[in-house]
Amino acid sequence: MDGLDDDRSESGFRSRTPLSEARERFRAAVPDPDFDPVRLELAAADGRVLAAARSAARNVPDYERVAMDGYAVRAEDTFDAGARSPAVLREVEGTVEPGTARRVDTGTELPEGADAVVRIEYAEPFGGDVEITDRVTVGENVAPVGEDVARGDPLFEAGRRLGPSALGLLRSVGVERVPVAPRPTVGVVPTGEELVRADAAPGEIIETNGLTVSRFVERWGGRATHRNVVDDDPEALRVAIQRDLTKDVVVTTGGSSVGERDLLPETIEGLGEVVVHGVGIKPGYPVALGVVEGTPVIALPGYPVAAIVAANAVLRPLLAWLQGTTVETHPARTARLERKIPSEPGIRTYARVELAGSEDEDGGSNERVATPIRAGGAGVLSSAALADGWVVVSEASEGIPAGETVEVEDWEP
């Protein structure tokens, strides 16, 4: 794992706050979210967070529903039916009376008088009659009223992020509009006088963090405003932060460490309060968490991979909290670790890996192998962009030896 984290500014930090403690201290310093729900039509609510609990206002189905193509019958008329001695019933089109049967399709309402359905493969029509070769019991092949959802059943609590199936269920019980949390607004401010938008000359770097972080914000339910690059100048940084205090969150990239040009922690402190500076994650520890006039301000590191890790570690859960929900776990796959991942006790390490192998029919690991990426410095963006995921090493561990089964998280599915 050569160069797992190349962030040389590590030596300037006397201590690094454990991630869980940093999150708790940051949340305690940020005012509780207070928003008016937005009512949206269901199609527009995909991916949004429900702002109030919903229960079923009606049964689904709200009638006895035919569950199989076949013939609606009175179950007692099939008591002696079998392949050798079929029951012969008269085919009708209206009410099912003793000795009759009616052709029905899946999903239609069970006809009056019927209490069961004989599947089509056990019924043979001929000359106005139907031969039934299978006995059925009362309720067989019939979906009762409320089988899917009963009136009054609780469906979703506030804080549920709505997906397509949840929207379909809400529609089935007659809901057309739902109250959802508004999307948190986020000002994303890249900083650094060496950064340019394009056509970098020697000594210049094309700015990427603003684009990357703003797209993460959108994926995590926020609304990002990607600002132009701000130079490493105290007054320019102060103005940039103050400009976006109308947002729900301000996020800067670069200038968050302890070097001569790392001016953001001091700038935030001058405007408000720095709650945490230096978090026990690697890469990404030179992150500063502050509050200015009630607005949370997150200063992410300038190294691209460190910015991605730190954004996932602190910005993602903050945006979830501001929407009234909790952060969802990243999807993960199991794999066998090809090489050791070293880690420092007390530090949560995020090691980028490549995956080889496949899944078996049950979705389990079929000799899937995770190989740590050697070009893994925090400034090497390709080590993240070309990785298949990362392995998180807990603070309690000194690393993970080769051959261990690990969880490989996909942080941008």
Side-chain angles (χ1 to χ4, degrees):
M1 281 292 292
D2 300 338
L4 174 64
D5 185 4
D6 220 11
D7 200 336
R8 297 177 178 82
S9 59
E10 177 178 3
S11 59
F13 283 88
R14 295 180 180 177
S15 63
R16 281 163 284 175
T17 304
L19 179 58
S20 59
E21 180 184 340
R23 288 171 175 166
E24 291 174 2
R25 288 168 57 183
F26 191 34
R27 179 174 295 186
V30 176
D32 289 339
D34 181 19
F35 55 77
D36 293 324
V38 179
R39 294 189 65 82
L40 296 179
E41 293 184 357
L42 290 180
D46 187 19
R48 302 294 290 271
V49 176
L50 192 63
R54 300 300 303 216
S55 58
R58 70 182 187 191
N59 296 310
V60 180
D62 57 1
Y63 58 90
E64 287 189 299
R65 185 171 59 191
V66 174
M68 291 284 180
D69 291 349
Y71 282 84
V73 299
R74 293 166 60 92
E76 62 183 26
D77 287 339
T78 69
F79 181 76
D80 293 324
R84 294 185 178 181
S85 58
V88 179
L89 305 177
R90 178 168 54 87
E91 186 170 357
V92 296
E93 294 185 357
T95 300
V96 175
E97 298 177 339
T100 67
R102 176 177 167 179
R103 179 72 170 86
V104 290
D105 298 317
T106 302
T108 59
E109 184 175 8
L110 186 70
E112 183 179 351
D115 57 17
V117 173
V118 176
R119 294 168 59 174
I120 192 70
E121 55 264 39
Y122 299 111
E124 184 67 34
F126 71 98
D129 291 332
V130 184
E131 283 191 348
I132 304 297
T133 58
D134 184 49
R135 175 185 176 182
V136 291
T137 58
V138 173
E140 190 167 343
N141 298 321
V142 176
V145 172
E147 179 193 48
D148 192 353
V149 179
R151 182 186 294 111
D153 277 355
L155 299 180
F156 304 114
E157 294 295 325
R160 166 67 181 259
R161 193 173 295 278
L162 299 171
S165 59
L167 297 174
L169 179 57
L170 289 168
R171 172 66 60 80
S172 76
V173 297
V175 174
E176 294 296 333
R177 299 171 69 87
V178 288
V180 298
R183 297 172 62 191
T185 56
V186 182
V188 180
V189 185
T191 73
E193 58 194 31
E194 75 281 8
L195 302 179
V196 295
R197 288 282 187 177
D199 302 323
E204 295 179 333
I205 301 172
I206 292 178
E207 196 280 310
T208 61
N209 285 337
L211 172 64
T212 302
V213 173
S214 64
R215 293 308 89 198
F216 273 128
V217 167
E218 296 285 335
R219 286 195 176 198
W220 298 335
R223 293 173 52 202
T225 300
H226 180 188
R227 299 297 191 180
N228 291 328
V229 175
V230 178
D231 287 343
D232 297 315
D233 173 77
E235 179 62 15
L237 295 172
R238 182 187 66 79
V239 170
I241 291 174
Q242 289 180 318
R243 172 191 57 193
D244 277 342
L245 293 180
T246 57
K247 308 290 188 185
D248 295 309
V249 184
V250 180
V251 178
T252 64
T253 65
S256 67
S257 192
V258 292
E260 291 183 1
R261 293 168 60 187
D262 294 305
L263 305 176
L264 274 163
E266 182 178 344
T267 302
I268 296 169
E269 187 68 41
L271 293 169
E273 175 191 11
V274 173
V275 180
V276 175
H277 187 203
V279 178
I281 55 176
K282 189 173 183 179
Y285 55 84
V287 61
L289 310 176
V291 179
V292 176
E293 297 179 16
T295 301
V297 181
I298 298 176
L300 297 174
Y303 283 127
V305 183
I308 291 171
V309 171
N312 271 270
V314 293
L315 175 57
R316 185 168 177 253
L318 174 65
L319 292 179
W321 182 59
L322 291 176
Q323 295 170 80
T325 188
T326 55
V327 70
E328 300 169 4
T329 58
H330 289 303
R333 292 170 284 181
T334 59
R336 177 176 57 81
L337 189 62
E338 178 71 11
R339 293 198 308 272
K340 175 185 177 180
I341 298 176
S343 182
E344 180 182 346
I347 302 298
R348 187 175 302 189
T349 300
Y350 296 75
R352 285 83 70 200
V353 299
E354 295 176 333
L355 286 174
S358 60
E359 294 181 350
D360 59 28
E361 293 180 355
D362 297 324
S365 176
N366 182 22
E367 288 301 312
R368 190 188 292 116
V369 176
T371 303
I373 294 176
R374 288 189 180 277
V380 182
L381 181 55
S382 63
S383 72
L386 301 180
D388 293 309
W390 61 37
V391 175
V392 181
V393 186
S394 75
E395 293 89 339
S397 174
E398 294 188 27
I400 303 177
E404 289 288 305
T405 298
V406 294
E407 294 286 323
V408 179
E409 297 183 359
D410 182 358
W411 70 87
E412 50 179 19

